[in-house]
Amino acid sequence: FEIPVHCIMMNPRQSTEFKHKHYHEYVELLYGLSECDIKVWVEGRVYEVRKGELCIINSGTAHSVRSEITRSTYLVIKFEPGILYAAEQSAFEVKYLFPFIEDNENFRRVFTESELSETEIPRLMADVIEEWTNKDYGYEIAIRASVIRATLYLMRKWHSEKADSAI
C-alpha cells in the first residue's frame, strides 16, 4: 500500500468453504458491521465474528474468511506491525509488537460485542471508516492514530487477562 494502513469494506456472499487461504506480513483487524456472520479460518482454527465483534489476524498467519449468511459486511484494517512504535523509540517498546507477530495461544483473537460495546473500539472503527471514506487532508494520520488506540486496548486487555490467569 501507499500508507502503512489500508482499509477495505468487505461484503462477501455466503459460502460453505474457506477459499483463498493466504498470508501476508500485515496484521489484520476484522470488525463486524451491521449484517455480519462470518467464520474466520486461522491456521486451522475457526472463529466466529458477528456484528460489533473484532478478530485479530497476526502478521504472517495463514487465514481465510467465509460468510455464513447471504451477505456479511465487515471492515478489514490491514497495517504494518511497525506502526505501533517509532524508530527513534527504545528497543524496549518492540515488546508490544509480539502479540501481533507471534503465533501465541496466550493472546485471544476474538473480542465480543458485549465486551467491546462500552469501550472506545466501536467509535474508533467508525472513525476509521469515516476517515477512509472521506480521505480528508491528514486522513492517514487519523487512521494510524485510531489503529494505535485500538491495538493499545487489545494489548492492555491481553495483559490484564494474562495477569488474571496468573492469580
Side-chain angles (χ1 to χ4, degrees), residues 71-88:
R71 285 261 189 204
S72 284
T73 304
Y74 62 98
L75 173 67
V76 177
I77 303 172
K78 295 181 181 184
F79 63 92
E80 297 172 8
I83 73 163
L84 300 179
Y85 73 99
E88 67 274 1

Side-chain angles (χ1 to χ4, degrees), residues 115-134:
E115 65 187 310
L116 295 177
S117 64
E118 298 299 319
T119 72
E120 67 180 328
I121 296 294
R123 182 187 53 77
L124 291 170
M125 297 298 107
D127 290 350
V128 166
I129 292 168
E130 182 180 344
E131 291 291 345
W132 187 259
T133 301
N134 296 336

Side-chain angles (χ1 to χ4, degrees), residues 9 12 14 19 22 33 46 48-49 66 75 85 87 91 110 115-116 123 126 136 138 153 156 160 167:
M9 195 70 66
Q14 189 171 14
K19 300 177 182 176
H22 64 285
L33 297 172
V46 177
E48 288 187 32
V49 178
R66 76 173 196 223
L75 173 67
Y85 73 99
V110 175
E115 65 187 310
L116 295 177
R123 182 187 53 77
D136 290 334
Y153 168 82
R156 286 179 173 170
S160 71
I167 296 175

Side-chain angles (χ1 to χ4, degrees), residues 11-150:
N11 194 355
R13 294 182 180 185
Q14 189 171 14
S15 177
T16 57
E17 55 189 80
F18 291 105
K19 300 177 182 176
H20 312 294
K21 292 177 182 167
H22 64 285
Y23 70 94
H24 37 72
E25 295 309 308
Y26 308 109
V27 175
E28 280 190 25
L29 301 179
L30 309 181
Y31 184 71
L33 297 172
S34 58
E35 294 293 321
C36 183
D37 187 359
I38 58 174
K39 290 207 175 178
V40 184
W41 178 91
V42 180
E43 297 276 332
R45 290 198 169 107
V46 177
Y47 303 94
E48 288 187 32
V49 178
R50 293 191 173 93
K51 177 188 174 216
E53 297 184 338
L54 182 69
C55 178
I56 299 91
I57 301 172
N58 286 8
S59 168
T61 303
H63 60 281
S64 181
V65 178
R66 76 173 196 223
S67 177
E68 295 291 299
I69 58 176
T70 305
R71 285 261 189 204
S72 284
T73 304
Y74 62 98
L75 173 67
V76 177
I77 303 172
K78 295 181 181 184
F79 63 92
E80 297 172 8
I83 73 163
L84 300 179
Y85 73 99
E88 67 274 1
Q89 293 173 336
S90 72
F92 177 74
E93 291 184 6
V94 173
K95 70 181 180 184
Y96 300 124
L97 290 176
F98 293 138
F100 299 99
I101 59 176
E102 290 183 336
D103 186 24
N104 188 333
E105 293 180 22
N106 293 328
F107 301 108
R108 190 158 49 108
R109 296 293 158 218
V110 175
F111 294 82
T112 65
E113 180 181 28
S114 63
E115 65 187 310
L116 295 177
S117 64
E118 298 299 319
T119 72
E120 67 180 328
I121 296 294
R123 182 187 53 77
L124 291 170
M125 297 298 107
D127 290 350
V128 166
I129 292 168
E130 182 180 344
E131 291 291 345
W132 187 259
T133 301
N134 296 336
K135 292 187 171 50
D136 290 334
Y137 185 76
Y139 77 97
E140 303 95 338
I141 295 169
I143 291 173
R144 182 175 181 260
S146 291
V147 168
I148 289 171
R149 290 293 307 171

